Amino acid sequence: MISIAIFGFLGAVARYLCYMAVENRARQPKLATWFVNSLGSLIIGACLGAGVPATFGIFAFLGAFTTFSTMALDSVKDFEDGHWKQGIFYISATLVSGLLLFAAGYSIASM
Amino acid sequence: MKNILAVGFGGMAGSLLRTAVFQFAGAGLGLWLANIVGSFIIGIAAARLVNRSAGTRLFVSTGLIGSFTSFSAFSADWFRLLESSLLTGIMYALGMTAASIVAAALGLLAGRKGAVE
C-alpha cells in the first residue's frame, strides 16, 4: 500500500519530467506521451520476462509512468481539429511500438 | 517544485485508486474500467479546468487521471492475448483503444455542455 503510493508518486513525476523535457524543445506533448508509453512497455516486458514478482514497486511505478487517458484525449483533439490522419497515425504508432517493445523486453529478459 | 508535487500527489492517488479497482474487479476487467472511466474523466477535466490554475490541472489530469489509467499493463495484456490468438489480441487492442477514445470524446462533450449551462 505504501509502496504503491510512493512508486505511483515517482512514476507520475517521471512522466511529468519527460513532458517538460520534450515540451521545452518543441511544443509536441504527444511525442512525450508516446515516449513514456513506449519506454514503459519495454521495461514492463523486461520485468515480466525476467520474472520480477508482481508485488515489486517497479510495476506501480510503470502503471503511473505510462498513461492511456492522455493518449485518448490527444487523439480526440486531433480528430476534432480535422487532423484524422495525424490522430490515427499517433494511435497506431503508440500501439505498435508498445507491443513491439514489450515483446523485445520480454524476450531479451527471458533468454 | 509546486507543480512536481501536484503531479506526484495526484499520481499517488491515481495509483492507489487503480489498485483498488484492480482488487475489486480483477486485473483484466479492472484495466478496462480504469482506462475507460479515466478517459471519460480526463475529457471532462479538459473542458472544465481550462481556467483553473496550472497546479489544479497538473494534479487532476496529469497526476491523478494520468496515473489511474495505464498503458504498460495494456501492452502486457495485449501481448499475452496475441500469443494465444491473433484475432483476440487485435480485437482487444482495437476495442480498448476505441472505447477509451469514445469515452474521452463523450467526457469532453459532457464537460463543455455543463460549462455552458
Side-chain angles (χ1 to χ4, degrees):
Chain A
M1 186 80 172
I2 291 170
S3 154
I4 290 166
I6 293 169
F7 284 99
F9 184 103
L10 295 175
V13 168
R15 174 161 42 83
Y16 178 59
L17 294 178
C18 289
Y19 287 155
M20 293 287 98
V22 171
E23 280 186 74
N24 285 346
R25 287 172 180 81
R27 297 203 56 77
Q28 189 56 267
K30 276 191 293 185
L31 190 63
T33 305
W34 171 81
F35 176 77
V36 294
N37 283 341
S38 298
L39 181 63
S41 297
L42 175 73
I43 299 173
I44 202 172
C47 290
L48 292 174
V52 174
T55 50
F56 273 39
I58 183 71
F59 293 107
F61 177 89
L62 293 172
F65 181 63
T66 62
T67 178
F68 212 91
S69 50
T70 310
M71 177 181 81
L73 180 66
D74 284 343
S75 72
V76 168
K77 286 179 186 162
D78 269 347
F79 297 149
E80 197 171 34
D81 295 341
H83 301 143
W84 289 92
K85 276 185 195 164
Q86 205 177 313
I88 289 169
F89 175 76
Y90 168 58
I91 289 289
S92 318
T94 307
L95 293 187
V96 171
S97 67
L99 182 74
L100 292 180
L101 287 167
F102 178 93
Y106 189 88
S107 45
I108 290 168
S110 58
M111 269 198 298
Chain B
M1 192 61 201
K2 208 180 133 194
N3 287 349
I4 288 180
L5 288 177
V7 171
F9 283 112
M12 183 182 277
S15 297
L16 290 170
L17 275 173
R18 177 163 36 77
T19 306
V21 170
F22 276 36
Q23 278 174 355
F24 172 74
L29 180 62
L31 188 63
W32 281 90
L33 283 173
N35 281 350
I36 292 172
V37 172
S39 296
F40 182 71
I41 299 173
I42 209 170
I44 296 178
R48 298 293 282 270
L49 300 182
V50 180
N51 300 319
R52 296 297 186 91
S53 69
T56 304
R57 280 183 281 128
L58 287 170
F59 175 80
V60 175
S61 296
T62 309
L64 203 158
I65 311 169
S67 303
F68 180 63
T69 63
S70 176
F71 189 84
S72 51
F74 163 79
S75 290
D77 287 354
W78 186 23
F79 180 77
R80 287 200 193 104
L81 284 169
L82 267 181
E83 273 189 325
S84 58
S85 156
L86 191 67
L87 185 66
T88 314
I90 290 172
M91 281 179 45
Y92 171 82
L94 293 181
M96 175 141 0
T97 305
S100 297
I101 291 173
V102 169
L106 290 176
L108 203 56
L109 286 175
R112 283 178 185 156
K113 215 170 179 185
V116 172
E117 278 165 3

